Amino acid sequence: MDKEDMIRLLERRGISKRVLEAMKKVPRHLFVPPDVRKFAYEDRPLPIGEGQTISAPHMVAMMCEYLDLQKGHKVLEIGGGCGYHAAVMAELVGKEGKVITVERIESLADRAKQNLKLTGYDDVVEVVVGDGTLGYPPEAPYDRISVACAAPSVPPPLKEQLKIKGKMVIPVGSHSQILYLVKKKGEDGFDMEKLCEVVFVPLIGKHGFHM
Ligand code: SAH
Protein backbone atom coordinates (compact mmCIF):
# COMPACT_ATOMS: atom_id res chain seq x y z
CA MET A 1 0.00 0.00 0.00
CA ASP A 2 1.29 3.46 -0.87
CA LYS A 3 -0.18 6.86 -0.03
CA GLU A 4 -2.45 6.84 -3.11
CA ASP A 5 -3.91 3.45 -2.07
CA MET A 6 -4.53 4.79 1.46
CA ILE A 7 -6.33 7.85 0.06
CA ARG A 8 -8.52 5.70 -2.23
CA LEU A 9 -9.45 3.49 0.71
CA LEU A 10 -10.35 6.51 2.86
CA GLU A 11 -12.38 7.96 -0.02
CA ARG A 12 -14.38 4.71 -0.21
CA ARG A 13 -15.04 5.06 3.53
CA GLY A 14 -16.69 8.42 2.91
CA ILE A 15 -13.96 10.79 4.11
CA SER A 16 -14.45 14.33 2.75
CA LYS A 17 -12.30 15.89 0.04
CA ARG A 18 -10.88 18.45 2.47
CA VAL A 19 -9.60 15.83 4.92
CA LEU A 20 -8.34 13.64 2.04
CA GLU A 21 -6.38 16.61 0.65
CA ALA A 22 -4.78 17.17 4.07
CA MET A 23 -3.85 13.49 4.43
CA LYS A 24 -2.46 13.43 0.91
CA LYS A 25 0.03 16.13 1.89
CA VAL A 26 1.36 14.61 5.14
CA PRO A 27 4.17 12.02 4.69
CA ARG A 28 3.08 9.43 7.28
CA HIS A 29 6.20 7.33 6.54
CA LEU A 30 8.41 10.11 7.93
CA PHE A 31 6.55 10.07 11.28
CA VAL A 32 6.55 6.35 12.11
CA PRO A 33 9.71 4.56 13.33
CA PRO A 34 11.97 3.08 10.58
CA ASP A 35 11.16 -0.54 11.49
CA VAL A 36 7.45 -0.10 10.64
CA ARG A 37 7.92 2.39 7.78
CA LYS A 38 6.95 -0.20 5.16
CA PHE A 39 3.47 -0.37 6.74
CA ALA A 40 3.07 3.42 6.97
CA TYR A 41 0.16 3.62 4.48
CA GLU A 42 -1.73 0.53 5.60
CA ASP A 43 -4.97 1.33 7.39
CA ARG A 44 -3.97 0.06 10.80
CA PRO A 45 -2.42 1.32 14.05
CA LEU A 46 1.39 1.07 14.31
CA PRO A 47 3.77 0.91 17.29
CA ILE A 48 5.71 4.16 17.85
CA GLY A 49 7.85 3.05 20.82
CA GLU A 50 7.40 3.28 24.62
CA GLY A 51 4.46 0.83 24.30
CA GLN A 52 2.38 3.47 22.47
CA THR A 53 0.64 3.33 19.09
CA ILE A 54 -0.32 5.74 16.33
CA SER A 55 -3.99 5.40 15.32
CA ALA A 56 -4.99 3.90 11.98
CA PRO A 57 -5.34 6.48 9.16
CA HIS A 58 -9.16 6.09 9.04
CA MET A 59 -9.37 6.96 12.77
CA VAL A 60 -7.24 10.10 12.29
CA ALA A 61 -9.44 11.03 9.31
CA MET A 62 -12.71 10.43 11.19
CA MET A 63 -11.60 12.42 14.23
CA CYS A 64 -10.67 15.35 11.95
CA GLU A 65 -14.03 14.99 10.20
CA TYR A 66 -16.04 15.02 13.46
CA LEU A 67 -14.11 18.04 14.76
CA ASP A 68 -14.97 20.01 11.60
CA LEU A 69 -11.58 21.75 11.65
CA GLN A 70 -11.53 25.12 9.88
CA LYS A 71 -8.77 27.50 8.79
CA GLY A 72 -7.62 29.64 11.71
CA HIS A 73 -8.77 27.28 14.46
CA LYS A 74 -6.68 26.89 17.61
CA VAL A 75 -6.56 23.19 18.46
CA LEU A 76 -5.35 21.33 21.54
CA GLU A 77 -4.34 17.69 21.06
CA ILE A 78 -3.78 15.38 24.02
CA GLY A 79 -1.38 12.53 23.18
CA GLY A 80 1.07 13.90 20.62
CA GLY A 81 2.76 10.52 20.00
CA CYS A 82 4.90 10.82 16.87
CA GLY A 83 3.21 14.06 15.73
CA TYR A 84 1.40 12.66 12.66
CA HIS A 85 -2.18 13.46 13.73
CA ALA A 86 -1.08 16.99 14.73
CA ALA A 87 0.45 17.49 11.25
CA VAL A 88 -2.83 16.47 9.56
CA MET A 89 -4.70 18.94 11.78
CA ALA A 90 -2.09 21.61 10.93
CA GLU A 91 -2.93 21.17 7.22
CA LEU A 92 -6.62 21.72 8.04
CA VAL A 93 -6.23 24.82 10.26
CA GLY A 94 -3.56 26.34 7.98
CA LYS A 95 -0.81 28.83 8.79
CA GLU A 96 -3.39 31.16 10.35
CA GLY A 97 -4.28 28.44 12.85
CA LYS A 98 -2.36 26.73 15.64
CA VAL A 99 -2.08 23.19 17.03
CA ILE A 100 -0.72 22.58 20.51
CA THR A 101 -0.05 18.93 21.22
CA VAL A 102 0.68 17.67 24.73
CA GLU A 103 2.65 14.42 25.21
CA ARG A 104 3.54 12.95 28.60
CA ILE A 105 6.49 10.80 27.44
CA GLU A 106 9.49 13.04 26.83
CA SER A 107 11.27 10.77 24.32
CA LEU A 108 8.12 10.65 22.14
CA ALA A 109 7.66 14.42 22.39
CA ASP A 110 11.29 14.89 21.28
CA ARG A 111 10.75 12.60 18.30
CA ALA A 112 7.49 14.40 17.43
CA LYS A 113 9.36 17.74 17.49
CA GLN A 114 12.03 16.36 15.12
CA ASN A 115 9.42 14.83 12.79
CA LEU A 116 7.43 18.07 12.65
CA LYS A 117 10.55 20.12 11.97
CA LEU A 118 11.71 17.77 9.21
CA THR A 119 8.30 17.89 7.50
CA GLY A 120 7.87 21.65 7.96
CA TYR A 121 4.94 21.68 10.37
CA ASP A 122 6.85 23.21 13.29
CA ASP A 123 5.57 26.69 12.45
CA VAL A 124 1.95 25.63 13.13
CA VAL A 125 2.39 22.82 15.69
CA GLU A 126 3.84 23.34 19.16
CA VAL A 127 4.79 20.22 21.15
CA VAL A 128 4.49 20.46 24.93
CA VAL A 129 5.71 17.81 27.40
CA GLY A 130 3.31 17.32 30.28
CA ASP A 131 0.09 15.88 31.65
CA GLY A 132 -2.58 16.64 29.06
CA THR A 133 -5.40 15.85 31.50
CA LEU A 134 -4.68 19.35 32.82
CA GLY A 135 -5.06 20.79 29.32
CA TYR A 136 -2.68 23.61 28.48
CA PRO A 137 -3.88 26.82 30.19
CA PRO A 138 -1.35 29.27 28.62
CA GLU A 139 -3.01 28.99 25.18
CA ALA A 140 -6.63 28.41 26.32
CA PRO A 141 -9.42 28.66 25.27
CA TYR A 142 -9.45 26.30 22.26
CA ASP A 143 -11.82 26.04 19.28
CA ARG A 144 -11.26 22.30 19.17
CA ILE A 145 -9.75 19.59 21.39
CA SER A 146 -8.68 16.17 20.05
CA VAL A 147 -7.87 13.48 22.61
CA ALA A 148 -5.82 10.55 21.25
CA CYS A 149 -5.93 8.32 24.36
CA ALA A 150 -8.82 6.79 26.30
CA ALA A 151 -10.01 8.62 29.43
CA PRO A 152 -12.01 7.28 32.40
CA SER A 153 -14.24 10.36 31.96
CA VAL A 154 -13.88 13.78 30.33
CA PRO A 155 -11.19 15.67 32.33
CA PRO A 156 -12.76 18.87 33.80
CA PRO A 157 -9.82 21.11 32.70
CA LEU A 158 -10.49 20.13 29.06
CA LYS A 159 -14.16 21.11 29.41
CA GLU A 160 -13.12 24.44 30.92
CA GLN A 161 -10.51 25.19 28.26
CA LEU A 162 -12.93 24.61 25.36
CA LYS A 163 -14.49 27.74 23.83
CA ILE A 164 -18.26 28.09 23.95
CA LYS A 165 -19.54 26.48 20.70
CA GLY A 166 -16.24 24.53 20.65
CA LYS A 167 -16.01 20.79 19.96
CA MET A 168 -13.93 17.96 21.41
CA VAL A 169 -13.48 14.33 20.35
CA ILE A 170 -12.50 11.95 23.16
CA PRO A 171 -12.50 8.18 23.66
CA VAL A 172 -13.97 7.23 27.05
CA GLY A 173 -13.74 3.83 28.78
CA SER A 174 -11.20 1.24 29.85
CA HIS A 175 -11.68 -2.12 28.10
CA SER A 176 -14.44 -1.14 25.74
CA GLN A 177 -14.26 2.48 24.72
CA ILE A 178 -16.66 4.83 23.01
CA LEU A 179 -15.55 7.83 20.97
CA TYR A 180 -17.63 10.88 21.98
CA LEU A 181 -18.19 14.23 20.33
CA VAL A 182 -18.52 16.82 23.10
CA LYS A 183 -20.06 20.19 22.20
CA LYS A 184 -19.88 23.12 24.62
CA LYS A 185 -23.21 24.95 24.63
CA GLY A 186 -22.53 27.34 27.50
CA GLU A 187 -20.21 27.72 30.51
CA ASP A 188 -21.64 24.54 32.08
CA GLY A 189 -23.72 23.11 29.26
CA PHE A 190 -22.33 20.20 27.27
CA ASP A 191 -23.82 17.83 24.69
CA MET A 192 -22.23 14.38 24.47
CA GLU A 193 -22.84 12.39 21.30
CA LYS A 194 -21.75 8.74 21.06
CA LEU A 195 -19.91 8.19 17.77
CA CYS A 196 -18.48 4.65 17.65
CA GLU A 197 -16.57 1.93 19.48
CA VAL A 198 -12.80 2.41 19.46
CA VAL A 199 -9.52 1.12 20.92
CA PHE A 200 -6.96 3.63 22.23
CA VAL A 201 -4.05 3.50 24.68
CA PRO A 202 -4.97 4.87 28.14
CA LEU A 203 -4.85 8.53 29.12
CA ILE A 204 -2.57 8.53 32.17
CA GLY A 205 -2.55 11.52 34.52
CA LYS A 206 -4.23 13.51 37.28
CA HIS A 207 -7.69 13.40 35.64
CA GLY A 208 -6.98 10.18 33.74
CA PHE A 209 -6.02 6.65 34.71
CA HIS A 210 -3.33 6.23 37.35
CA MET A 211 -0.08 4.38 36.71
N1 SAH B 1 -1.77 11.25 17.99
C1 SAH B 1 -0.59 10.44 18.06
C2 SAH B 1 -0.83 9.07 18.64
C3 SAH B 1 -1.11 9.12 20.06
S1 SAH B 1 -0.96 7.63 20.96
C4 SAH B 1 0.15 10.33 16.74
O1 SAH B 1 -0.31 10.85 15.72
O2 SAH B 1 1.20 9.71 16.74
C5 SAH B 1 -1.45 8.29 22.51
C6 SAH B 1 -0.39 9.09 23.20
O3 SAH B 1 -0.98 9.65 24.37
C7 SAH B 1 0.80 8.26 23.70
O4 SAH B 1 1.96 8.76 23.10
C8 SAH B 1 0.81 8.50 25.22
O5 SAH B 1 2.10 8.62 25.76
C9 SAH B 1 0.04 9.80 25.33
N2 SAH B 1 -0.56 10.11 26.64
C10 SAH B 1 -1.17 9.28 27.53
N3 SAH B 1 -1.60 9.99 28.60
C11 SAH B 1 -1.26 11.29 28.39
C12 SAH B 1 -1.42 12.49 29.12
N4 SAH B 1 -2.01 12.54 30.31
N5 SAH B 1 -0.94 13.64 28.59
C13 SAH B 1 -0.32 13.64 27.38
N6 SAH B 1 -0.13 12.53 26.64
C14 SAH B 1 -0.61 11.37 27.12
Side-chain angles (χ1 to χ4, degrees), residues 101-107 109-110 113 127-132 136:
T101 186
V102 186
E103 171 54 55
R104 63 177 280 272
I105 301 175
E106 197 164 0
S107 61
D110 286 345
K113 276 182 206 165
V127 181
V128 174
V129 182
D131 177 6
Y136 186 62

Side-chain angles (χ1 to χ4, degrees), residues 17-74:
K17 202 160 179 279
R18 240 164 46 83
V19 173
L20 290 177
E21 283 302 319
M23 294 187 68
K24 221 184 257 182
K25 289 192 187 133
V26 183
R28 186 170 156 102
H29 64 284
L30 296 181
F31 285 86
V32 300
D35 57 326
V36 294
R37 196 154 284 166
K38 55 182 179 295
F39 307 121
Y41 295 103
E42 293 197 2
D43 193 24
R44 55 150 151 145
L46 291 173
I48 52 170
E50 308 286 352
Q52 306 303 316
T53 49
I54 179 176
S55 305
H58 80 269
M59 187 50 59
V60 172
M62 280 170 54
M63 287 170 81
C64 289
E65 215 63 272
Y66 287 127
L67 275 186
D68 183 28
L69 294 164
Q70 301 294 333
K71 296 274 179 229
H73 271 165
K74 189 190 261 190

Side-chain angles (χ1 to χ4, degrees), residues 48 52-54 77-85 102-105 108 130-133 148-149 201-205:
I48 52 170
Q52 306 303 316
T53 49
I54 179 176
E77 179 185 45
I78 310 304
C82 67
Y84 172 74
H85 195 155
V102 186
E103 171 54 55
R104 63 177 280 272
I105 301 175
L108 291 180
D131 177 6
T133 70
C149 26
V201 297
L203 175 76
I204 294 165

